[in-house]
Amino acid sequence: MASVASLTDLVNQQLTSALSAARPEASADPLLRRSDRADYQANGILALAKKAKANPRELATEVVSHIVTGDLIKDVEVSGPGFLNITIGDRAITGNLAARYADDTGRLGVPHAEHPGTTVIDYAQPNVAKEMHVGHLRSAVIGDSVAQLLEFTGESVVRRHHIGDWGTQFGMLIQYLEEHPHELDHEAGEVSGEEAMSNLDRLYKAARRHFDSDEEFKTRARRRVVDLQAGDPKTLAAWQKFVDESKIYFFSVFEKLDMEIRDADIVGESGYNDMLAETCRMLEESGVAVRSEGALCVFFEDVKGPDGNQVPLIVQKSDGGYGYAATDLSAIRDRVFNLKADTLLYVVDARQSLHFKMVFETARRAGWLNEDVTAQQLAFGTVLGKDGKPFKTRAGETVRLVDLLDEAIDRASAVVREKAQDLSEQEIAERGTQVGIGAVKYADLSTSANRDYKFDLDQMVSLNGDTSVYLQYAYARIQSILRKAGDVRPGAHPELELHEAERALGLHLDAFAETVAEAAREYAPHKLTAYLYQLASLFTSFYDKCPVIKPAPPRDVAENRLFLSDVTARTLHRGMALLGIRTPERL
Ligand code: ARG
């Protein structure tokens, strides 16, 4: 693979050797940062001076004497109490981007991580027979982007959609279906996602009505739960109908979200049934869990209720039933020992943090997790309405995710239509969808996951500001520039002197690799959105200051500017794809 060393890395290497040439006995990190004063500033001399008991300014001057200036480091200057200001040569900037441009794998020369591992990521986990809401949106959007970021760095990623497909609530539904056997009779493909959901909703409401008003139905429904847990084939067949109907709905929503979810990766709570008894036995035999009032419990020093008593994690209830914790603990065993993961990641609402804290601690005590195999919840905050309260309809109900997405698409289509010059109706509809879904995803990804954010469609589809629409327009604009350039094609000319705006753009383009690495390492897609937003802004000021087509610059300058534009477009495209967002060629 054609991986390209970044300018930052190359400068870092030179500085590291200059530091160790000046003080061979003490090692130091140059602590290189992008800076306003110069292209880079190195701040590591202070720490080295401390270690070596030297005067920082004198040491800095000495370090400079070990730096060979040339194409890469054009200039280096001591500044302040021992910082180094570094200026990169134009030739190095253009040359580096040319190497990225030549990488025909679409990776822009970004190398893989040195020691990739295996991550199982648990995300996009709606519940059977229930509507999807904004919480499910966050898990799906963040999870999809993190999975793609990790894969891009070379990590082996196993996706797991831990759907809620098991539990006592199914007794009522199954019993109702048993008594109204033809309710869900249809061939796969015959109903839309919307229809599937409304079928489920209708059945749920009817079952609920019976359950609340008819004592005998209630008894029959409770017996169904026992049959379900015992694996009675007829009961399981009815349960499967609900799961299948729900999947029709889930897949329609994921498709609307323009997200690829594979059936094989859907391993719901029921997928671990066979392991539950064994999980409990292992925990009890090792003493990690103890019987308390008939239930199998794990206790924690620091988890206490309002009365000051410890609140346990209940692995098995006193009636023998298994709950959410038993399933998650069994899933950990599966992911560690069968899927051979070294990292388990859970993209789940922050409101479940205590659950995961207890589950992970239990797994550590059992020895299933340790220094080599770690688990982490990527906890996300709540989606708020414009009023700053958890997002609800006027009637105080949870908002259906589909309604929200449809509204985003409508708003975005209006924006696209208003700006559309040469788009057909069909193109407007298609772009409107890409812009609307992109807007929702971007808004979700551009705040750090653990924070709450306001769902504000007006802001999300705005053309100005930190939105996906702004980035999509920047991309489409570059495509239009490339079309208008006619037979002048993009071409790198490292011999040309660069304008300040070109240098700023070029150095930022070079930082794509380290940004992606950091966003993947920290599970932080918002670092990538911030990078891309800045990229689009730098492109705008470059395009303002450096004419590409009109007034026509000399041919080599035009080619080089088209080349810078095209590297920008490719970087935008690649970056947006890692966020799960489309970049239409025309807007
Ligand atoms: N289905 C759950 C919900 O809707 C999320 C599942 C999270 N994953 C897990 N392994 N517990 O809240």
Side-chain angles (χ1 to χ4, degrees):
M1 196 201 70
S3 93
V4 178
S6 70
L7 294 171
T8 319
D9 283 344
L10 296 173
V11 174
N12 234 326
Q13 278 163 23
Q14 280 223 22
L15 285 179
T16 309
S17 43
L19 287 169
S20 65
R23 284 293 177 279
E25 68 285 359
S27 68
D29 180 345
L31 295 179
L32 201 63
R33 304 258 180 287
R34 292 297 310 281
S35 151
D36 296 338
R37 307 242 181 86
D39 294 334
Y40 292 100
Q41 190 170 64
N43 297 341
I45 292 185
L46 296 182
L48 182 62
K50 218 176 202 174
K51 268 194 218 165
K53 299 202 171 44
N55 171 310
R57 254 196 103 81
E58 277 166 24
L59 181 59
T61 313
E62 204 184 322
V63 169
V64 169
S65 73
H66 290 282
I67 294 174
V68 192
T69 51
D71 281 350
L72 177 64
I73 299 182
K74 199 178 108 203
D75 195 27
V76 51
E77 231 167 50
V78 179
S79 121
F83 304 138
L84 297 184
N85 284 347
I86 293 150
T87 307
I88 306 296
D90 291 349
R91 181 179 285 278
I93 295 176
T94 309
N96 170 282
L97 296 181
R100 298 190 179 283
Y101 196 61
D103 176 6
D104 53 15
T105 64
R107 293 181 56 88
L108 292 141
V110 178
H112 284 136
E114 261 174 66
H115 306 288
T118 301
T119 296
V120 173
I121 176 167
D122 183 316
Y123 73 104
Q125 325 97 325
N127 299 316
V128 163
K130 292 217 183 104
E131 281 282 359
M132 290 175 74
H133 55 72
V134 277
H136 296 124
L137 168 78
R138 294 215 73 185
S139 175
V141 169
I142 298 168
D144 180 57
S145 175
V146 170
Q148 293 204 66
L149 278 165
L150 289 173
E151 246 158 18
F152 192 67
T153 66
E155 183 83 1
S156 304
V157 177
V158 183
R159 292 157 168 81
R160 280 293 173 264
H161 309 293
H162 197 88
I163 61 171
D165 64 354
W166 201 247
T168 47
Q169 72 275 21
F170 289 103
M172 187 177 88
L173 285 170
I174 294 168
Q175 187 57 35
Y176 183 84
L177 189 61
E178 187 72 19
E179 295 173 17
H180 304 81
H182 300 298
E183 284 279 7
L184 289 180
D185 281 355
H186 57 73
E187 299 288 314
E190 270 177 11
V191 294
S192 67
E194 286 277 301
E195 286 162 346
M197 190 59 236
S198 82
N199 287 342
L200 290 164
D201 205 43
R202 185 173 40 95
L203 290 191
Y204 185 87
K205 285 185 179 137
R208 184 88 237 173
R209 239 185 348 261
H210 280 62
F211 192 84
D212 289 341
S213 62
D214 178 347
E215 278 305 315
E216 279 169 24
F217 179 81
K218 203 179 226 167
T219 312
R220 293 199 294 279
R222 294 223 165 106
R223 224 178 297 133
R224 266 304 155 202
V225 177
V226 181
D227 293 344
L228 180 65
Q229 272 155 359
D232 167 55
K234 249 178 81 188
T235 307
L236 278 180
W239 166 83
Q240 188 66 50
K241 281 193 173 183
F242 285 106
V243 175
D244 291 344
E245 193 80 358
S246 294
K247 280 192 185 172
I248 297 175
Y249 166 67
F250 297 157
F251 279 120
S252 75
V253 179
F254 291 133
E255 195 178 304
K256 186 164 271 184
L257 273 171
D258 192 14
M259 195 176 280
E260 200 192 331
I261 300 283
R262 291 182 307 155
D263 199 25
D265 297 332
I266 299 184
V267 182
E269 295 174 10
S270 67
Y272 305 95
N273 281 348
D274 291 349
M275 302 175 74
L276 302 176
E278 198 184 11
T279 297
C280 289
R281 190 176 50 72
M282 293 168 96
L283 291 173
E284 194 169 4
E285 278 175 9
S286 61
V288 172
V290 293
R291 290 281 162 191
S292 168
E293 292 168 34
L296 188 62
C297 300
V298 184
F299 289 92
F300 308 87
E301 278 300 327
D302 56 345
V303 185
K304 291 189 181 131
D307 58 0
N309 290 332
Q310 289 185 12
V311 180
L313 179 74
I314 299 179
V315 188
Q316 190 181 20
K317 290 180 273 184
S318 54
D319 67 2
Y322 303 104
Y324 198 45
T327 311
D328 266 325
L329 286 163
S330 302
I332 289 182
R333 289 176 51 218
D334 182 51
R335 293 168 190 189
V336 174
F337 300 108
N338 299 330
L339 298 176
K340 309 262 183 273
D342 40 52
T343 308
L344 308 183
L345 192 61
Y346 294 78
V347 189
V348 183
D349 195 313
R351 285 170 281 200
Q352 294 189 32
S353 293
L354 182 60
H355 165 78
F356 282 108
K357 178 181 138 118
M358 296 198 285
V359 164
F360 296 161
E361 177 57 25
T362 302
R364 271 191 289 272
R365 291 183 193 169
W368 304 332
L369 296 176
N370 50 47
E371 298 95 80
D372 301 325
V373 190
T374 57
Q376 185 183 331
Q377 181 192 4
L378 177 52
F380 54 80
T382 306
V383 180
L384 308 172
K386 274 191 187 175
D387 57 2
K389 301 209 183 94
F391 203 62
K392 291 271 151 69
T393 61
R394 280 215 193 94
E397 285 164 21
T398 27
V399 181
R400 287 169 9 118
L401 179 53
V402 230
D403 292 342
L404 236 148
L405 297 178
D406 285 340
E407 198 180 335
I409 293 170
D410 282 351
R411 298 273 192 106
S413 302
V415 173
V416 173
R417 182 183 306 278
E418 206 179 294
K419 287 208 70 169
Q421 284 159 358
D422 47 2
L423 296 183
S424 67
E425 273 308 305
Q426 196 204 329
E427 284 172 319
I428 290 176
E430 198 183 289
R431 307 296 199 281
T433 307
Q434 297 177 341
V435 170
I437 295 300
V440 171
K441 288 183 176 177
Y442 190 89
D444 205 313
L445 294 169
S446 56
T447 25
S448 80
N450 59 0
R451 290 181 35 202
D452 298 346
Y453 78 95
K454 281 189 190 164
F455 198 93
D456 179 352
L457 278 176
D458 294 323
Q459 189 273 328
M460 284 180 197
V461 298
S462 157
L463 292 168
N464 305 309
D466 189 5
T467 62
S468 64
V469 201
Y470 174 71
L471 299 180
Q472 285 169 323
Y473 269 103
Y475 178 82
R477 182 150 160 237
I478 299 176
Q479 298 312 317
S480 134
I481 295 166
L482 291 167
R483 281 191 300 270
K484 282 189 193 131
D487 63 348
V488 188
R489 299 320 301 152
H493 288 277
E495 72 285 0
L496 289 177
E497 210 176 289
L498 297 177
H499 184 282
E500 247 341 283
E502 292 176 313
R503 292 175 48 83
L505 178 63
L507 286 167
H508 193 67
L509 284 166
D510 176 57
F512 181 62
E514 64 200 60
T515 305
V516 169
E518 189 180 331
R521 198 170 50 240
E522 298 175 10
Y523 309 134
H526 71 279
K527 300 220 161 154
L528 180 56
T529 62
Y531 169 88
L532 293 172
Y533 177 54
Q534 206 194 339
L535 177 59
S537 312
L538 287 169
F539 178 79
T540 305
S541 54
F542 150 78
Y543 194 64
D544 278 352
K545 291 177 188 131
C546 306
V548 179
I549 301 171
K550 254 192 238 164
R555 183 146 185 137
D556 53 351
V557 174
E559 285 173 354
N560 201 54
R561 288 179 178 167
L562 282 172
F563 153 75
L564 283 171
S565 305
D566 204 9
V567 183
T568 304
R570 289 186 191 183
T571 307
L572 280 171
H573 172 79
R574 176 41 74 190
M576 293 287 265
L578 291 172
L579 302 170
I581 302 175
R582 302 263 174 183
T583 37
E585 298 294 301
R586 279 173 209 263
L587 261 183

